[in-house]
Amino acid sequence: MPLSMHRASVPVFVRALKVLATLLEKGEAHAKAQGLDPDTLVAARLTDDMLPLSGQVQRASDASKGAVSRLTGVEAPAMPDEETSFAQLQKRVADTLAYIQSVDAVAFEGSEDRTVELKLPGGALTFTGEDYLFGFALPNFFFHVVTAYDILRHKGVQIGKLDYLGPVQS
């Protein structure tokens, strides 16, 4: 049986978003243990021209829920980018997970051939659903998850590769 678009997307997004939630828990615990205001970590960046931790979580949320919506036609909930605390970021991740997990696998049927158009400032990009998922949506999503990990690691949070990979599933 060929790999379905649902199987190639939803479990991948769910697993990584759960890892992201765990990384955020560890980041908040680290800030508190160090006597730091956790909100300063939420605003931390790797460099000036990159989004802060909050922005990385917001973009991981947008990338995953946007991919599911574009592939299925099931409208994703709007989430304004207003998070400034770990609690708010955790809620964003939880709300994203709830949406992604609510979309029926049947809605993904035929999405590998669906036309997906992204309107970007430099022009539109057009993909088949399969090319969009594997060539744009998943790489973009993981860029933001790993950048959130990198910010936390850079700020001294005791996390490593296994924290990023999360629990091994068989």
Side-chain angles (χ1 to χ4, degrees):
M1 179 175 193
L3 180 66
S4 73
M5 292 291 283
H6 176 271
R7 175 100 169 97
S9 59
V10 170
V12 175
F13 290 137
V14 167
R15 184 170 189 263
L17 287 166
K18 287 180 178 179
V19 165
L20 184 56
T22 300
L23 294 172
L24 291 172
E25 286 173 10
K26 291 181 179 199
E28 183 174 26
H30 169 81
K32 289 178 179 177
Q34 298 298 312
L36 304 171
D37 176 359
D39 294 347
T40 61
L41 195 51
V42 170
R45 301 171 186 262
L46 284 178
T47 188
D48 291 341
D49 67 347
M50 291 182 78
L51 293 170
L53 178 63
S54 59
Q56 301 303 331
V57 173
Q58 292 158 353
R59 294 312 159 276
S61 164
D62 290 344
S64 57
K65 68 187 176 78
V68 169
S69 179
R70 288 181 189 99
L71 291 171
T72 65
V74 176
E75 188 173 344
M79 296 180 187
D81 298 335
E82 301 172 341
E83 295 84 7
T84 58
S85 70
F86 278 100
Q88 292 168 338
L89 291 175
Q90 289 287 13
K91 182 172 181 346
R92 171 93 175 226
V93 172
D95 290 348
T96 303
L97 281 164
Y99 162 71
I100 290 170
Q101 293 174 310
S102 76
V103 178
D104 193 312
V106 173
F108 286 84
E109 290 179 6
S111 66
E112 61 275 1
D113 297 319
R114 182 172 291 136
T115 299
V116 175
E117 182 176 81
L118 296 178
K119 293 177 177 146
L120 303 173
L125 297 175
T126 304
F127 305 90
T128 64
E130 183 176 345
D131 290 341
Y132 165 71
L133 178 63
F134 293 112
F136 187 89
L138 288 171
N140 183 45
F141 170 72
F142 279 111
F143 171 85
H144 293 292
V145 174
V146 78
T147 303
Y149 165 91
D150 291 342
I151 290 168
L152 294 169
R153 178 76 189 254
H154 180 68
K155 291 299 184 179
V157 178
Q158 296 299 301
I159 52 177
K161 184 176 180 178
L162 292 179
D163 295 295
Y164 173 77
L165 292 175
V168 177
Q169 298 173 336
S170 56

